[in-house]
Amino acid sequence: MSQYKFFQQVNSNFDRAASCLSIDEGLLEQIKECNSTYHISFPVRKDDGSVEVVHGWRSAHSSHKSPTKGGIRFAMAVNEDEVNALAALMTYKCAVVSIPFGGAKGGVKIDRSRYSSAEIERITRRYTFELIKKNFIGPGVDVPAPDYGTGEQEMAWILDTYRSMVNSLDSDGCVTGKPIHQSGISGRTEATGRGVYFGLREACSIEKEMDRHGLDTGLEGKRIIIQGLGNVGYYASIFLREAGALITGVAEMHGGVYDEKGIDVVQLKEHIRETGSIKGYPHGRFIEDSAKVLEMECDILIPAALENQITAENAHNIQAKIIGEAANGPVSCEADKILKEKGTLIIPDIYLNAGGVTVSYFEWIKNLSHIRFGRMDRRYEENAMGRLMTAIEELTGTRFQESDVRRLGKGPEEWDIVDSGLEDTMVVAFHMMYDSGHKHKTDLRTAAYITAIEKIALSYQQLGIFP
Ligand code: GLU
């Protein structure tokens, strides 16, 4: 097998889309290149007193918008090529959903299960310190967020390190995905999975597409297989189940579970949390080789783990009619071609997993404006609705039930506002991508890249750098 080059894969998707447009070659080159990549190595003191040298990267892909934005990944597979590819995906993702950021990504090459929490804290703080030293982080420069292997605790450590070094009113906006009591935002934890749900809901509402695959419209009754029950896969499956879909398969690191009656993912996650593995889950059928779970019959397959999971080697065996790319880059270019020939509908990563960065954008706005969403108007809206209900009662001579008054008269909490912004973002972007696919007669991935390239090119042109 040829050596996998992730950034090259992203660029080949870019080239296919660019060939449908007439944009200056130099401008296309500028959009494609990674503007800067910073490689750091630093010593970490382990709990036993020994010292280990750790490698980290941060890549800023595009400067057409500021700040740049993207997660930080802690994993053994992290390297420069991966970080550059993921930063480029962030640029296109932000453009597809009209989030005014350039793309970035960071990573530290560690197997986090080998480190204590205190060691992870030292690694996170030192990595942040190195970024601060080189001006690679800041609310107007580059704003990290969680990614594979990191979560809100790491983001809190980043915030604390930044705040202790930089005295600025806007410091809280230096990182997103923070705990709610550390200037985080309601709904960020669920955001990527929730966005996956909105995206699939839109795709499944299109009669023409569903007809083509012999499926009914809507999510109700759709059989779904998920790879990876981490943050994204877990929340996506929760919302999809709520909408009536059946999670018939889950593939995890050390095996999978299949149950055509549907898996209770909350219970399964609890089992994994308690035992450390999917093995021994008392319901459904255990499947030793988790790669085989991806090849089982289903309507929708959702790879929600890492890149390069569906390749030329297994693409022929994939039976799903729809693939929802919740991870970044889960389908290789070769696999994409094979699947397209088979007629599989692929909802691309740069659209489908954009919910995370969308809510990160809301969190950043909240931090810069120093006020929680809904704080100024929630009570006002409740009172206005109360007055309206009283007027209706007077006009009709009837009275609302107490439960209706409570339900209808409730003003929005922060979560409601965030969710409404996320839904709107995902719905509008889906139709923009879908219409572009129609116009250019291409698949959705190419269509998504086309919409991204058009927006970024326009931005560079308006800045006066390119003709
Ligand atoms: N790591 C996430 C992604 O790949 C979120 C990035 C962010 O919120 O900035 O989209």
Side-chain angles (χ1 to χ4, degrees):
M1 201 177 74
S2 63
Q3 218 217 335
Y4 174 71
K5 295 253 175 24
F6 194 4
F7 195 25
Q8 222 169 59
Q9 298 260 326
V10 175
N11 285 340
S12 106
N13 290 326
F14 179 100
D15 291 341
R16 198 175 47 252
S19 71
C20 302
L21 300 166
S22 35
I23 291 178
D24 179 84
E25 276 303 317
L27 176 49
L28 289 173
E29 186 73 20
Q30 167 59 26
I31 298 174
K32 245 163 84 167
E33 285 299 323
C34 243
N35 291 169
S36 44
T37 308
Y38 181 37
H39 176 193
I40 326 157
S41 63
F42 51 87
V44 179
R45 188 168 297 282
K46 305 277 299 280
D47 292 344
D48 65 5
S50 64
V51 174
E52 203 179 291
V53 175
V54 165
H55 290 263
W57 288 264
R58 184 76 186 171
S59 166
H61 173 260
S62 175
S63 56
H64 75 291
K65 299 263 180 213
S66 293
T68 47
K69 187 85 190 76
I72 293 176
R73 175 172 284 208
F74 284 181
M76 276 314 280
V78 169
N79 59 42
E80 189 163 324
D81 174 67
E82 187 193 49
V83 169
N84 286 344
L86 292 166
L89 286 176
M90 285 306 303
T91 294
Y92 307 133
K93 189 185 305 186
C94 289
V96 167
V97 289
S98 301
I99 298 294
F101 293 140
K105 200 72 158 206
V108 179
K109 188 182 168 67
I110 50 166
D111 170 0
R112 66 167 297 158
S113 67
R114 283 188 41 242
Y115 297 90
S116 69
S117 169
E119 288 164 346
I120 292 288
E121 176 174 353
R122 287 199 285 278
I123 291 171
T124 309
R125 287 183 181 277
R126 179 64 188 254
Y127 173 79
T128 310
F129 175 76
E130 297 293 333
L131 296 182
I132 298 168
K133 266 199 329 197
K134 294 280 195 259
N135 198 26
F136 252 80
I137 181 172
V141 181
D142 183 16
V143 183
D147 197 82
Y148 189 89
T150 58
E152 57 177 35
Q153 177 59 76
E154 286 74 20
M155 303 307 118
W157 288 327
I158 292 174
L159 172 70
D160 188 54
T161 310
Y162 187 84
R163 262 205 226 136
S164 65
M165 304 267 309
V166 184
N167 181 17
S168 148
L169 187 62
D170 293 330
S171 292
D172 288 4
C174 76
V175 63
T176 60
K178 303 177 291 288
I180 189 77
H181 296 297
Q182 290 301 333
S183 318
I185 195 167
S186 307
R188 176 62 185 87
T189 311
E190 305 88 336
T192 314
R194 184 109 178 119
V196 168
Y197 153 71
F198 285 134
L200 288 172
R201 187 193 70 184
E202 285 312 291
C204 291
S205 71
I206 298 187
E207 207 172 326
K208 202 175 87 193
E209 294 296 332
M210 295 304 106
D211 276 355
R212 219 158 50 82
H213 292 99
L215 295 170
D216 291 333
T217 54
L219 286 166
E220 180 94 47
K222 293 267 183 314
R223 298 159 309 152
I224 299 182
I225 291 179
I226 303 228
Q227 181 199 33
L229 216 52
N231 173 282
V232 180
Y234 178 66
Y235 283 108
S237 43
I238 299 266
F239 297 121
L240 289 163
R241 281 186 86 217
E242 262 175 31
L246 292 175
I247 309 299
T248 49
V250 172
E252 267 281 299
M253 204 100 83
H254 306 293
V257 171
Y258 184 83
D259 188 345
E260 60 197 12
K261 294 194 297 298
I263 298 162
D264 180 339
V265 279
V266 177
Q267 211 181 69
L268 176 59
K269 183 82 180 174
E270 202 42 48
H271 172 85
I272 297 172
R273 212 171 276 146
E274 271 168 18
T275 66
S277 150
I278 202 164
K279 271 188 200 152
Y281 183 64
H283 308 285
R285 181 151 54 93
F286 176 70
I287 291 152
E288 188 91 40
D289 180 1
S290 58
K292 288 278 162 257
V293 181
L294 308 192
E295 300 173 7
M296 298 176 90
E297 217 216 310
C298 65
D299 300 316
I300 308 177
L301 172 63
I302 305 182
L306 287 169
E307 62 267 20
N308 203 29
Q309 299 300 301
I310 302 171
T311 64
E313 293 185 5
N314 60 356
H316 287 290
N317 304 332
I318 300 290
Q319 299 188 56
K321 301 173 178 101
I322 302 170
I323 294 182
E325 294 186 333
N328 290 309
V331 175
S332 76
C333 291
E334 297 79 5
D336 187 82
K337 202 160 162 261
I338 297 167
L339 291 162
K340 254 186 316 211
E341 276 159 18
K342 291 206 318 185
T344 314
L345 175 66
I346 302 179
I347 320 293
D349 51 359
I350 59 170
Y351 162 70
L352 196 65
N353 71 34
V357 74
T358 301
V359 177
S360 276
Y361 170 50
F362 302 155
E363 181 175 333
W364 180 77
I365 293 172
K366 174 185 182 180
N367 296 154
L368 299 189
S369 54
H370 299 271
I371 189 163
R372 162 172 60 77
F373 289 104
R375 180 161 182 179
M376 298 295 281
D377 38 12
R378 183 169 68 95
R379 200 54 69 110
Y380 179 84
E381 285 192 26
E382 283 180 1
N383 291 339
M385 189 55 92
R387 285 195 297 276
L388 183 67
M389 285 194 282
T390 309
I392 294 172
E393 284 177 343
E394 281 168 8
L395 265 170
T396 59
T398 52
R399 286 192 67 79
F400 284 100
Q401 302 267 334
E402 203 38 53
S403 57
D404 287 335
V405 173
R406 268 201 306 275
R407 187 171 53 84
L408 298 169
K410 190 181 154 298
E413 304 282 349
E414 183 172 76
W415 195 91
D416 300 305
I417 298 173
V418 165
D419 199 52
S420 139
L422 175 60
E423 179 171 10
D424 190 56
T425 303
M426 294 305 292
V427 171
V428 170
F430 181 86
H431 293 284
M432 206 181 274
M433 167 179 79
Y434 191 78
D435 292 348
S436 162
H438 198 69
K439 179 173 156 206
H440 293 275
K441 299 193 175 32
T442 63
D443 58 288
L444 291 183
R445 189 190 310 284
T446 310
Y449 273 84
I450 287 175
T451 61
I453 295 170
E454 280 177 331
K455 289 185 198 174
I456 302 165
L458 184 65
S459 175
Y460 273 119
Q461 280 159 342
Q462 287 173 338
L463 288 170
I465 307 169
F466 286 95

